[in-house]
Coordinates of all heavy atoms in Angstrom, one line a residue:
A16 N 111.1 -14.0 -19.7 CA 112.5 -13.6 -19.6 C 113.1 -14.0 -18.2 O 114.3 -13.9 -18.1 CB 112.7 -12.1 -19.8
W17 N 112.3 -14.4 -17.3 CA 112.8 -14.7 -16.0 C 112.8 -16.2 -15.7 O 112.1 -17.0 -16.4 CB 111.9 -14.0 -14.9 CG 110.4 -14.4 -15.1 CD1 109.8 -15.4 -14.6 CD2 109.5 -13.6 -15.8 NE1 108.4 -15.4 -15.0 CE2 108.2 -14.3 -15.7 CE3 109.5 -12.4 -16.5 CZ2 107.1 -13.8 -16.3 CZ3 108.4 -11.9 -17.1 CH2 107.2 -12.6 -17.0
A18 N 113.6 -16.6 -14.8 CA 113.8 -18.1 -14.5 C 112.8 -18.5 -13.3 O 112.4 -19.6 -13.3 CB 115.2 -18.4 -14.1
L19 N 112.6 -17.5 -12.4 CA 111.7 -17.8 -11.3 C 110.6 -16.8 -11.1 O 110.8 -15.6 -11.3 CB 112.6 -17.8 -10.0 CG 113.6 -18.9 -9.8 CD1 114.4 -18.6 -8.5 CD2 113.0 -20.3 -9.8
E20 N 109.4 -17.3 -10.8 CA 108.3 -16.4 -10.5 C 108.2 -16.4 -9.0 O 107.9 -17.4 -8.4 CB 107.0 -16.9 -11.2 CG 105.9 -15.9 -11.1 CD 105.0 -16.0 -12.4 OE1 105.5 -16.5 -13.4 OE2 103.8 -15.6 -12.2
V21 N 108.4 -15.2 -8.4 CA 108.5 -15.1 -6.9 C 107.3 -14.3 -6.5 O 107.0 -13.2 -7.0 CB 109.8 -14.4 -6.5 CG1 109.9 -14.2 -5.0 CG2 111.0 -15.1 -7.1
V22 N 106.7 -14.7 -5.4 CA 105.7 -13.9 -4.7 C 106.2 -13.6 -3.3 O 106.7 -14.4 -2.6 CB 104.4 -14.7 -4.5 CG1 103.4 -14.0 -3.6 CG2 103.7 -14.9 -5.9
G29 N 109.7 -8.2 -1.1 CA 109.8 -8.0 -2.5 C 111.1 -7.3 -2.9 O 111.7 -7.7 -3.9
M30 N 111.5 -6.3 -2.1 CA 112.7 -5.6 -2.4 C 113.9 -6.6 -2.3 O 114.8 -6.6 -3.2 CB 112.9 -4.5 -1.3 CG 114.2 -3.7 -1.4 SD 115.7 -4.5 -0.7 CE 115.1 -4.8 1.0
L31 N 113.9 -7.4 -1.3 CA 115.0 -8.3 -1.1 C 115.0 -9.4 -2.3 O 116.1 -9.7 -2.8 CB 114.8 -9.1 0.2 CG 116.1 -9.5 0.9 CD1 117.0 -8.3 1.2 CD2 115.8 -10.2 2.3
A32 N 113.8 -9.9 -2.7 CA 113.8 -10.8 -3.8 C 114.3 -10.2 -5.1 O 115.0 -10.8 -5.8 CB 112.4 -11.3 -3.9
R33 N 113.9 -8.9 -5.3 CA 114.3 -8.2 -6.5 C 115.8 -7.9 -6.4 O 116.5 -8.1 -7.5 CB 113.5 -6.9 -6.5 CG 113.2 -6.4 -7.9 CD 112.2 -5.3 -7.9 NE 110.9 -5.7 -7.7 CZ 110.2 -5.6 -6.5 NH1 110.7 -4.9 -5.5 NH2 108.9 -6.0 -6.4
S34 N 116.3 -7.6 -5.3 CA 117.8 -7.3 -5.1 C 118.6 -8.5 -5.4 O 119.7 -8.4 -5.9 CB 118.1 -6.7 -3.7 OG 117.3 -5.5 -3.6
V35 N 118.2 -9.6 -4.9 CA 119.0 -10.9 -5.0 C 118.7 -11.5 -6.4 O 119.6 -12.0 -7.0 CB 118.6 -11.8 -3.9 CG1 119.3 -13.2 -4.1 CG2 119.0 -11.2 -2.5
G36 N 117.4 -11.5 -6.8 CA 117.1 -12.2 -8.0 C 117.4 -11.5 -9.3 O 117.6 -12.1 -10.3
G37 N 117.5 -10.1 -9.3 CA 117.8 -9.4 -10.5 C 116.8 -9.7 -11.6 O 115.7 -10.0 -11.4
P38 N 117.4 -9.7 -12.8 CA 116.5 -9.9 -14.0 C 116.0 -11.4 -14.1 O 115.2 -11.7 -15.0 CB 117.4 -9.5 -15.2 CG 118.8 -9.7 -14.7 CD 118.7 -9.3 -13.2
E39 N 116.6 -12.2 -13.3 CA 116.2 -13.7 -13.4 C 114.9 -14.0 -12.7 O 114.4 -15.1 -12.8 CB 117.3 -14.6 -12.8 CG 118.5 -14.9 -13.8 CD 119.5 -13.7 -13.7 OE1 119.9 -13.4 -12.6 OE2 119.9 -13.2 -14.8
V40 N 114.3 -13.0 -12.0 CA 113.1 -13.3 -11.3 C 112.0 -12.2 -11.6 O 112.3 -11.1 -11.9 CB 113.3 -13.3 -9.7 CG1 114.4 -14.3 -9.4 CG2 113.7 -11.9 -9.2
K41 N 110.8 -12.7 -11.6 CA 109.6 -11.7 -11.6 C 109.0 -11.8 -10.2 O 108.7 -12.8 -9.7 CB 108.6 -12.2 -12.6 CG 107.3 -11.4 -12.7 CD 106.2 -12.1 -13.4 CE 104.9 -11.3 -13.3 NZ 103.8 -12.1 -13.9
V42 N 108.8 -10.6 -9.6 CA 108.4 -10.5 -8.2 C 107.0 -9.9 -8.2 O 106.7 -8.8 -8.7 CB 109.3 -9.7 -7.4 CG1 108.8 -9.6 -5.9 CG2 110.7 -10.3 -7.4
T43 N 106.1 -10.5 -7.5 CA 104.7 -10.0 -7.2 C 104.6 -9.8 -5.7 O 104.9 -10.7 -4.9 CB 103.6 -10.9 -7.7 OG1 103.8 -11.1 -9.1 CG2 102.2 -10.3 -7.4
D69 N 106.9 -20.0 -8.2 CA 108.0 -21.0 -8.0 C 108.5 -20.8 -6.6 O 109.0 -21.8 -6.0 CB 109.1 -20.8 -9.0 CG 108.7 -20.9 -10.4 OD1 108.2 -21.9 -10.8 OD2 108.9 -19.9 -11.1
L70 N 108.4 -19.6 -6.0 CA 109.0 -19.3 -4.7 C 108.1 -18.3 -4.0 O 107.8 -17.2 -4.6 CB 110.4 -18.8 -4.9 CG 111.2 -18.3 -3.6 CD1 111.4 -19.4 -2.6 CD2 112.5 -17.7 -4.0
V72 N 108.3 -15.8 -0.7 CA 109.1 -15.2 0.3 C 108.3 -14.5 1.3 O 107.7 -13.4 1.0 CB 110.1 -14.2 -0.4 CG1 111.1 -13.6 0.7 CG2 111.0 -14.9 -1.4
L147 N 118.5 -16.3 1.1 CA 117.5 -16.3 0.0 C 118.3 -16.6 -1.3 O 117.7 -17.3 -2.2 CB 116.9 -14.9 -0.1 CG 115.9 -14.7 -1.3 CD1 114.7 -15.8 -1.2 CD2 115.3 -13.3 -1.3
M151 N 117.3 -19.5 -3.9 CA 117.0 -19.3 -5.3 C 118.0 -20.2 -6.2 O 117.6 -20.7 -7.2 CB 117.2 -17.8 -5.7 CG 116.1 -16.9 -5.2 SD 116.4 -15.2 -5.7 CE 114.9 -14.4 -5.2
G152 N 119.2 -20.3 -5.7 CA 120.1 -21.2 -6.4 C 119.7 -22.6 -6.4 O 120.0 -23.4 -7.4
D155 N 117.0 -22.7 -9.0 CA 117.5 -22.3 -10.4 C 119.0 -22.4 -10.4 O 119.7 -21.3 -10.3 CB 117.0 -20.9 -10.7 CG 117.5 -20.4 -12.0 OD1 117.9 -21.2 -12.9 OD2 117.7 -19.1 -12.1
H158 N 121.5 -20.0 -12.4 CA 121.8 -18.6 -12.1 C 122.3 -18.5 -10.6 O 122.3 -17.4 -10.0 CB 120.6 -17.8 -12.3 CG 120.2 -17.7 -13.7 ND1 119.1 -18.4 -14.2 CD2 120.7 -17.1 -14.8 CE1 118.9 -18.2 -15.5 NE2 119.9 -17.4 -15.9
Y162 N 122.8 -15.0 -8.1 CA 122.1 -14.7 -6.9 C 123.1 -14.5 -5.7 O 122.9 -13.6 -4.9 CB 121.1 -15.9 -6.6 CG 120.1 -16.2 -7.6 CD1 119.8 -17.5 -8.0 CD2 119.4 -15.2 -8.3 CE1 118.9 -17.8 -8.9 CE2 118.5 -15.5 -9.3 CZ 118.2 -16.8 -9.6 OH 117.3 -17.1 -10.6
R165 N 124.8 -11.1 -6.0 CA 123.9 -9.9 -5.7 C 123.6 -9.9 -4.2 O 123.6 -8.8 -3.6 CB 122.6 -10.1 -6.4 CG 122.7 -9.9 -7.9 CD 121.3 -9.7 -8.6 NE 121.5 -10.0 -10.1 CZ 121.1 -11.1 -10.7 NH1 120.6 -12.1 -10.0 NH2 121.3 -11.3 -12.0

Side-chain angles (χ1 to χ4, degrees):
W17 53 84
L19 293 176
E20 193 149 332
V21 180
V22 171
M30 177 282 301
L31 210 56
R33 213 170 281 109
S34 299
V35 174
E39 278 84 50
V40 304
K41 175 193 174 189
V42 180
T43 302
D69 301 301
L70 175 63
V72 182
L147 180 58
M151 286 181 173
D155 172 29
H158 299 105
Y162 302 137
R165 293 191 197 102

